Amino acid sequence: MLVSHIKGDDQVVITGITADSRNVKPGDLFICLSGFTVDGHEFAAQAVEKGAIAIIAEHEIEVDKTVVIVPDSRRAMAFLADRFFGSPSQKLKLIGVTGTNGKTTTTHLIDRILTDQQKKTGLIGTIHMRIGDQIEKVKNTTPDMIDLQSSFRRMLDIHTDYAIMEVSSHALDMGRVHGCDYHTAIFTNMTQDHLDYHKTFDNYRQAKSLLFAQLGNSYDQQSLKTAILNADDEVSKYFAHVTPARVLTYGIDQPADVRAVSIRVTSAGTSFTVQSFAGVATVNMKLMGKFNVYNALAAIAATLVEGVPLAAIIKSLEGIPGVDGRFEPVSLGQDYAVIVDYSHTPDSLENALVTAKEFVTGQLICVAGCGGNRDRTKRPIMAQIATKYADYSVLTSDNPRFEEPEAILADMVGGIQNVDQKRFTTIVNRREAIFHAISQAKPGDCVLIAGKGHETYQESKGEIFPFDDREVAKEAIHEQKRK
């Protein structure tokens, strides 16, 4: 860690580390971060009042404690977090999964396969963090540096073998995973998302590439680092170029080290033949859709690298009923299908609708919305996709945050062209939208409720209140049965 200079005693012993002045405890090191809306330097005095024994800062501050001046406090935080917690990621086998879609499912599939092999695993991602048997909520898909390294330390303390985590483009761009020693990095796919933050697709690609570029530059035969890439996604060529690690590919349409052929999707699941360097076998999963074949192939590749036999991998995959909020059926014995899916990008919505059309015998009804204060450019595309594939679409709210939901819906409707107005409607209230969609369902139909998946809240005007698509769908199904 580069230090410009130190003011005060350089031999103080710290007992904790934090960048949040609200969490400071006596004996802590407080790190001043310059954020987008808040400057941590302004809270240094408050941190000292609460017991901080030393401060990391980027410029001089007036406090009566040791102050270490560094050029970049965020980089210093990554270094210090790693050192303070004993460089835990170097002792774990750390598997990172990045991509626009499929991160959550892929991490859960890998976790199940390794757990079935009696390996002790930890999991970090969109749905939750799991350390041992303890489930914890997460604020971000990828936690900040201190929380991340602390979590790795806790995993290591209970003798965890593998940490499997989702790695977001925001985390990579902000340096949240600096200091993380990844053993394997997996790329799922890249389509339009987060352009409100990254501005351009090239910037988005560059952020994702950091996971592969940071895989290290040495070849340790005892723990060879591996980049696992989707051969069917053009971006993989770039990632293969920037990584020094060995490259393993998976795919369907292009030649790959692990490839699926003879894919068949039904209402009961998906079957395919996997061709790999470890052999050829048939897979019959309960998970539905071609997109889940990609997720399964990534998990197969990652666990074959770890020496798990192909037959054992397939046995695990075939035993997985599904992942929360990922093409999750809501079944109360009704004679039509209701599926909740976390499809909140154009590509994921299209994948979900195409999969539903493969097995639905009646009409396909879609409930879709777009989040507020996020990438506006995908709104008309999402509406265009919904009305292209669904027989009837209900456009509605999905975490409007600080935007007016009517304005979000106006952006969506602007993308609908040459579609009979009887084939779609707009209902601002999401609960009413779900009830309306299910009220339209007849025997053999399928209602796809897209966007929120596993989420159990709605966010609007700074307030967060309980809302679970699955529970609302159950209420709507019950009401239909009473009629």
Side-chain angles (χ1 to χ4, degrees):
M1 182 181 74
L2 184 63
V3 176
S4 297
H5 68 275
I6 300 174
K7 184 183 75 172
D9 183 4
D10 64 358
Q11 298 299 309
V12 293
V13 176
I14 63 171
T15 56
I17 179 171
T18 183
D20 189 335
S21 60
R22 295 167 298 184
N23 297 335
V24 170
K25 297 180 179 62
D28 278 358
L29 168 69
F30 176 67
I31 303 174
C32 302
L33 298 180
S34 300
F36 295 110
T37 57
V38 177
D39 186 349
H41 294 80
E42 297 176 4
F43 297 89
Q46 179 183 323
V48 169
E49 287 177 10
K50 296 186 70 174
I53 200 168
I55 307 290
I56 298 287
E58 293 178 352
H59 56 73
E60 296 287 350
I61 51 175
E62 293 302 318
V63 294
D64 187 25
K65 291 293 178 184
T66 299
V67 179
V68 180
I69 307 297
V70 297
D72 186 332
S73 57
R74 200 169 294 276
R75 285 186 177 273
M77 183 166 79
F79 179 87
L80 290 165
D82 176 70
R83 288 299 180 91
F84 181 79
F85 292 106
S87 302
S89 68
Q90 294 179 21
K91 303 172 183 72
L92 292 163
K93 280 195 171 182
L94 182 57
I95 299 175
V97 181
T98 197
T100 306
N101 305 308
K103 296 187 295 294
T104 299
T105 299
T106 301
T107 55
H108 279 74
L109 298 183
I110 294 169
D111 178 69
R112 172 63 178 269
I113 294 166
L114 292 174
T115 300
D116 285 350
Q117 292 297 301
Q118 310 307 311
K119 300 296 184 183
K120 195 162 190 175
T121 64
L123 192 65
I124 301 173
T126 306
I127 297 177
H128 59 238
M129 181 190 308
R130 197 196 75 245
I131 300 177
D133 296 327
Q134 186 173 343
I135 303 292
E136 301 176 13
K137 291 183 178 180
V138 290
K139 293 179 182 177
N140 301 303
T141 297
T142 310
D144 68 32
M145 304 165 192
I146 296 172
D147 287 343
L148 194 54
Q149 295 294 344
S150 171
S151 300
F152 291 153
R153 180 73 253 172
R154 290 164 58 204
M155 290 180 188
L156 201 59
D157 288 344
I158 58 172
H159 310 294
T160 299
D161 302 302
Y162 289 87
I164 308 148
M165 65 179 291
E166 298 177 48
V167 188
S168 69
S169 59
H170 289 70
L172 286 160
D173 187 66
M174 294 176 180
R176 282 188 220 147
V177 294
H178 283 170
C180 295
D181 187 12
Y182 287 96
H183 170 65
T184 301
I186 300 168
F187 169 60
T188 58
N189 51 63
M190 186 168 292
T191 58
Q192 181 176 337
D193 199 16
H194 304 307
L195 296 190
D196 54 310
Y197 176 84
H198 295 290
K199 306 306 179 188
T200 69
F201 189 83
D202 281 348
N203 289 345
Y204 184 34
R205 182 190 69 168
Q206 178 65 24
K208 292 288 190 189
S209 75
L210 295 174
L211 180 62
F212 303 94
Q214 294 170 6
L215 268 177
N217 208 37
S218 63
Y219 298 111
D220 179 359
Q221 293 302 314
Q222 301 303 312
S223 183
L224 200 58
K225 296 181 184 296
T226 308
I228 297 175
L229 306 176
N230 182 349
D232 293 346
D233 194 306
E234 279 294 312
V235 174
S236 288
K237 295 177 182 177
Y238 178 68
F239 293 167
H241 177 71
V242 301
T243 186
R246 66 172 172 178
V247 173
L248 192 66
T249 60
Y250 67 93
I252 297 171
D253 301 324
Q254 299 297 320
D257 299 307
V258 179
R259 189 178 185 185
V261 297
S262 304
I263 299 169
R264 184 168 176 265
V265 179
T266 71
S267 59
T270 308
S271 66
F272 62 93
T273 297
V274 59
Q275 301 173 337
S276 76
F277 56 86
V280 178
T282 299
V283 183
N284 294 292
M285 303 189 301
K286 296 180 180 69
L287 303 178
M288 288 187 283
K290 186 177 178 181
F291 61 96
N292 271 321
V293 175
Y294 280 108
N295 297 333
L297 290 173
I300 290 169
T303 49
L304 281 177
V305 165
E306 296 309 309
V308 182
L310 181 59
I313 294 171
I314 293 171
K315 183 179 179 181
S316 292
L317 289 175
E318 292 182 338
I320 297 171
V323 177
D324 282 354
R326 271 60 181 178
F327 216 77
E328 181 179 350
V330 179
S331 181
L332 298 177
Q334 74 275 12
D335 53 9
Y336 51 89
V338 176
I339 294 171
V340 170
D341 189 64
Y342 189 57
S343 41
H344 59 286
T345 66
D347 183 63
S348 61
L349 179 61
E350 184 171 22
N351 284 337
L353 287 165
V354 167
T355 297
K357 285 187 79 70
E358 290 193 49
F359 65 81
V360 66
T361 57
Q363 300 284 297
L364 177 56
I365 301 166
C366 177
V367 178
C370 292
N373 304 109
R374 295 293 186 270
D375 181 8
R376 288 186 61 185
T377 63
K378 70 180 182 183
R379 294 173 185 172
I381 303 172
M382 295 278 283
Q384 188 178 38
I385 289 170
T387 53
K388 175 183 177 181
Y389 290 100
D391 298 292
Y392 182 63
S393 299
V394 184
L395 307 181
T396 188
S397 300
D398 182 352
N399 291 333
R401 300 183 178 89
F402 290 97
E403 281 195 72
E404 292 299 330
E406 291 84 358
I408 298 172
L409 286 171
D411 285 344
M412 294 183 72
V413 172
I416 301 174
Q417 298 176 353
N418 302 319
V419 175
D420 187 335
Q421 290 194 348
K422 294 179 181 178
R423 287 187 49 217
F424 71 92
T425 189
T426 59
I427 300 177
V428 171
N429 184 289
R430 189 173 180 90
R431 178 185 174 84
E432 291 177 11
I434 292 171
F435 268 69
H436 173 69
I438 289 176
S439 74
Q440 304 301 302
K442 295 177 175 58
D445 288 354
C446 175
V447 180
L448 175 71
I449 304 171
K452 296 182 66 61
H454 66 283
E455 292 179 351
T456 56
Y457 63 88
Q458 267 278 60
E459 185 177 350
S460 179
K461 305 294 185 185
E463 293 186 36
I464 295 177
F465 53 90
F467 194 98
D468 187 324
D469 281 354
R470 296 162 295 188
E471 295 304 316
V472 174
K474 289 176 184 176
E475 292 175 31
I477 293 168
H478 279 305
E479 180 171 291
Q480 281 303 104
K481 285 185 173 184
R482 288 193 293 267
K483 289 183 178 179

